[in-house]
Structure formats: structure tokens, C-alpha cells
Amino acid sequence: MNFKYILGLIFAVSLFSSCDKYLDVEPKGIVIPKRFEEFNGILNAAVNTNCYPDYLVYATDDINASYSPVAQDPIANAYFWKSIIDVDNDATPAIWGSLYRQIYNANIIINNIMAVTDASEAQKKRLLGEALVERANAHFVLVTAFTKAYDPVTAGSLPGIPWVTYTDVTTKTPDRSTLQATMDKIVHDLKEAEGYLDANRLNKVRINKAVAQAILSRVNLYMGDFPEAKKYATLALQEPHEILDYNAYEYPSQEEDPEMLWLRTATDYTMNYYVYYSNDLLHLFEGDDLRLLLLAYDLGDGLYMRGENGWGMYGIRFSELKLTQAEALVQDNDLGGALDIVNELRALRIADYAYEPLVSSSKAEVMNWVINERRRELAFSSARWMDMKRLAKLGLGSKATRQSSDHEDLLSIDPANYSFTFEIPSRVLMLNPGMPKNF
């Protein structure tokens, strides 16, 4: 079956809405730029920058939304953790389609950028590095949605996802490699990119070495490799930054915010105007936690989700890297080091008059504090679905509940027996007979 069917649809002539005027049609429907700035423009396209699947935000336990359990809607299916999200086989597959489009864009650059003649080797390698990170991260998000949780014992036998490295839409769809093979390729792309990148970039939407290292930290955390997660978090934290004191917060723009490493938004960047904090999440905040006061919207019918400057943020914050360090330190039995990080952050987030440092010699208690602080600090971020899945595998997950508008429980999932995995979209399975299913 041709690669065009991996998307569950036929490719349009161009996927690059922001740079259509630069692009010509090549044989077999492949769109190949010719000049460096044309390749550079691909990375500014909305399919790359507004790329985190909103379905995975709705699937987290951070959100309360006004959906019915019987609604026939892909968002509602994700929200109520149904294994099959899509309801229309004629539509672009949820999560799957947009991420493979992003991979297609990245491959256009990866496979062609070094042949251009109007840029230096350093410029071409830097763009190659960015595209390798884009491809690796898109495959990683697909892993969090469409494969079982990573376990080094079983990853060699569980199916991963199709790994796509080419742009010829007539090429046969790749098989689902093993989960271990998929993760190995993600790490390989990121490490290769790290070698091409430096500290330079156009803006925080774009990728530099620190972003590649931060994603390597995420990927290793997801795999439970805590020493590597801590190593790459520490490397990424060498990027100039500051964790702001919310006792004197002045709402910087996202580009100027020293807490932001990498800016990304979701495929639906307006969702923060119509979803609420879940009660599960609200109950984790202390009364004097300034994050609710400064970053939540109270319109009288509940607290709306966090947003800076009206936009949700689905990239990476420096505070995420610090909390990854803290979790790794707990795993290494360095409770004092972990508490130093958590208390340093809490001192900047709790009202001055109410702050008291946390003290404990219990590993379980300190781990619980780290996990809860991570959830508060990274509320509504691209880390939460990944965290729900990996923490469940570690036996550290928490029950998640959907409630009605009058706060009656509708549905709950137990992390001990829920897989945090969606089925491969039915349209993709239909067009690719023989592709292994998840259930």
C-alpha cells in the first residue's frame, strides 16, 4: 500500500500554506523547494508550529469540558478515553494525520537541504538539525498516542509506529516497527540533530541545541531512563533562562518570557477559551498558589484553562526540565537535592506570606510532592498525557474522573488497568490491510 495511505488521505499539491508561492510541483506530486529560504519557510508553516494534537489535551485529566459520553465526536471520544477516536472515515485521521503531515514536511528538508547551493554548510546543517528534531518529536507524540506504554522488557515485541523517512507518496507504507526500534530511531534523530545545532535560532518557535536536548530529556523520562533524562535536562538548562517570581509577575510576551524554552501551540490554539480546570487538578493547588490567580480565567462558571497572552503553550518550559531533574534525583535517592529544586520553584509560585519549605525523609512522600508539583506547574501542557501514561506504568499514576456540569461523576479510569493507548485510526487500517492493531 502506498505511503499516501499512511495519512488516510491523498496528499494535496502542497502542504505548506505559508510558503505555497515558493513551491513548484515535482513528478509524482512531490513538492520540492529549490532555495534555502524556501526550505526555511517550511518550518514556519502552521502545520509545524500549531502542531500538538488538541485531542491529546482533551484526553488529559487536567480538563473538564461539556461533552456527553454518548456524543459522536472525535474530541468527545478522546475526552472519554474511548479506544477509537474517529467517527468519520472520510476525514483526516485524528492525531495521526496532522503529525504525519509534519513528518512529511520535515523529510522534505532532511532529504534535500544539503543539495542547495545558496547557503553555507553551517546554515544547511542547522536547518537539517531542526528538521530532524521536528521528525523525531512528531514520531514521539505518535508513540504516546498509538503504542502501549514503554517497558524495556516488552518494547522489543510490542508494535511501534510506521517510521517515515521519505516523501515519495507512491512508496509503500512502512510496517509498524517494534516499539524499541521506534524509540531507538527517535533518540538517534535527536542525537544527530544535537550535533548540527548550536545556540542560535530565529526565535523561540524555532529549534536550537537546547531544544533538542530538552526533547531528549522528555523521551528518556518517558522510557524511564532517569540518568539520561537528568543529563539532558541539565544540558538544556545551560540555555540562558530565569524562573520568574510570581509575587511580582508582569505577564511577559511568550517570545520574551525567560521561562520559555520552546514555543508551540496546539492544532486548536483557541481551546483555552472553552475548557475548564478539572476538580482533580484544582484540588492539587494550595489556596495561596499564585498560578491560579495569575494564569487561570474566572468567568463565573468555573476556572478556564491556563494561557499566556491568550494562547496555550505546548512546547517546553525550563521549569519542566528542573522538575525532571528532581524526579531523577528522587529515583537516585537524593531526596535533599530533589527538595531543593521543588522548594526553589514553590518559593516563586506561592505567595510570600504563605510559603513554607517542604521537608521529608520519605522517598514516597517526596516523589509524590515532585509529581504533584510537576502537574501544577505544567498544567494543560504537552507533557501531561505523556506523564499520565508513564506514571501509570511506574505504579505512580492517579485515578482520573470525568464529571458533569453539576459535578456528578460520569466515568473514571484506573491507571492500573487503563492502557492510555488509542487504536490506529480505522481509515488507516482500512487503507493498509495487515497493519497490526492495538486491541
Side-chain angles (χ1 to χ4, degrees):
M1 189 64 66
N2 293 343
F3 164 55
K4 62 189 176 183
Y5 294 122
I6 199 172
L7 289 176
L9 47 82
I10 305 298
F11 276 99
V13 170
S14 173
L15 300 179
F16 317 119
S17 58
S18 68
C19 51
D20 284 351
K21 61 183 179 181
Y22 300 119
L23 304 178
D24 296 319
V25 177
E26 294 285 334
K28 298 180 181 177
I30 303 173
V31 180
I32 304 293
K34 299 297 185 185
R35 300 186 299 276
F36 178 82
E37 284 306 318
E38 295 166 3
F39 284 104
N40 191 49
I42 291 173
L43 293 181
N44 296 324
V47 70
N48 287 66
T49 60
N50 302 358
C51 58
Y52 190 73
D54 54 339
Y55 303 94
L56 291 183
V57 182
Y58 279 97
T60 71
D61 52 359
D62 286 346
I63 277 178
N64 184 40
S66 56
Y67 286 100
S68 164
V70 297
Q72 293 298 306
D73 179 272
I75 290 289
N77 290 341
Y79 179 70
F80 287 106
W81 306 299
K82 297 178 182 179
S83 60
I84 298 175
I85 300 178
D86 292 297
V87 296
D88 181 0
N89 281 346
D90 292 327
T92 300
I95 304 172
W96 186 278
S98 62
L99 288 169
Y100 273 111
R101 284 191 177 195
Q102 186 183 356
I103 290 165
Y104 179 87
N105 279 10
N107 285 336
I108 287 282
I109 299 171
I110 293 166
N111 297 342
N112 298 282
I113 186 60
M114 297 308 294
V116 303
T117 59
D118 63 339
S120 69
E121 286 297 298
Q123 287 176 308
K124 291 188 286 187
K125 286 183 177 179
R126 189 178 300 126
L127 206 64
L128 174 60
E130 286 195 69
L132 284 166
V133 173
E134 294 273 10
R135 182 171 76 181
N137 188 64
H139 279 105
F140 176 57
V141 177
L142 285 161
V143 163
T144 68
F146 295 111
T147 76
K148 300 297 175 63
Y150 180 85
D151 183 327
V153 176
T154 59
S157 57
L158 290 173
I161 56 170
W163 184 267
V164 175
T165 60
Y166 41 80
T167 55
D168 185 343
V169 298
T170 67
T171 302
K172 181 182 181 295
T173 299
D175 295 330
R176 291 185 72 179
S177 60
T178 67
L179 178 54
Q180 186 63 59
T182 301
M183 299 307 298
D184 288 346
K185 289 172 182 175
I186 290 169
V187 171
H188 179 273
D189 265 11
L190 291 169
K191 287 184 175 180
E192 182 180 353
E194 187 187 13
Y196 296 138
L197 296 165
D198 53 26
N200 297 314
R201 54 177 167 169
L202 293 172
N203 50 53
K204 289 186 178 181
V205 173
R206 300 294 290 270
I207 293 165
N208 64 2
K209 179 173 284 194
V211 174
Q213 291 165 337
I215 298 173
L216 272 165
S217 178
R218 260 194 188 183
V219 169
N220 280 288
L221 185 66
Y222 181 78
M223 292 193 293
D225 190 338
F226 294 100
E228 286 293 287
K230 178 174 173 286
K231 166 188 163 183
Y232 283 107
T234 301
L235 287 170
L237 283 164
Q238 293 177 13
E239 179 89 347
H241 67 278
E242 179 186 1
I243 307 299
L244 298 175
D245 186 351
Y246 281 14
N247 286 279
Y249 192 66
E250 295 183 355
Y251 296 98
S253 69
Q254 287 187 331
E255 181 62 35
E256 296 174 349
D257 191 338
E259 293 194 356
M260 303 292 188
L261 171 58
W262 187 38
L263 295 179
R264 280 292 188 269
T265 190
T267 46
D268 178 4
Y269 56 85
T270 66
M271 73 172 71
N272 53 307
Y273 293 106
Y274 46 81
V275 294
Y276 305 92
Y277 281 70
S278 69
N279 280 338
D280 290 346
L281 177 58
L282 281 175
H283 290 158
L284 292 178
F285 285 91
E286 301 169 47
D288 299 302
D289 194 314
L290 297 173
R291 285 169 287 205
L292 283 184
L293 175 65
L294 295 170
L295 300 174
Y297 300 89
D298 187 357
L299 300 181
D301 56 350
L303 289 179
Y304 283 76
M305 67 176 282
R306 172 186 187 136
E308 293 89 359
N309 305 302
W311 297 74
M313 216 297 277
Y314 300 95
I316 297 178
R317 305 170 189 272
F318 287 104
S319 56
E320 175 185 337
L321 300 170
K322 287 180 174 289
L323 290 166
T324 294
Q325 288 179 315
E327 188 173 340
L329 288 168
V330 178
Q331 292 287 352
D332 197 33
N333 296 307
D334 185 352
L335 305 187
L339 284 172
D340 285 345
I341 292 172
V342 171
N343 283 324
E344 178 187 13
L345 181 59
R346 291 182 69 253
L348 301 173
R349 300 305 193 234
I350 305 299
D352 285 338
Y353 63 82
Y355 170 73
E356 293 183 4
L358 301 174
V359 179
S360 177
S361 59
S362 164
K363 182 175 181 178
E365 185 172 40
V366 175
M367 180 61 83
N368 187 58
W369 286 342
V370 170
I371 290 171
N372 287 343
E373 191 61 38
R374 184 177 174 93
R375 187 169 178 198
R376 285 187 289 264
E377 179 68 12
L378 306 180
F380 305 107
S381 77
S382 56
R384 183 55 191 165
W385 176 254
M386 174 194 87
D387 281 351
M388 289 172 70
K389 190 166 187 170
R390 68 177 185 85
L391 291 171
K393 189 67 178 177
L394 294 171
L396 297 171
S398 55
K399 179 182 175 182
T401 302
R402 296 304 188 208
Q403 293 186 319
S404 65
S405 58
D406 54 0
H407 303 296
E408 291 185 3
D409 291 352
L410 299 175
L411 177 71
S412 295
I413 53 171
D414 182 345
N417 54 38
Y418 179 67
S419 70
F420 297 91
T421 304
F422 297 110
E423 184 56 271
I424 303 296
S426 55
R427 181 169 176 80
V428 175
L429 292 172
M430 178 180 69
L431 294 172
N432 295 276
M435 181 177 285
K437 299 174 66 174
N438 288 329
F439 303 103

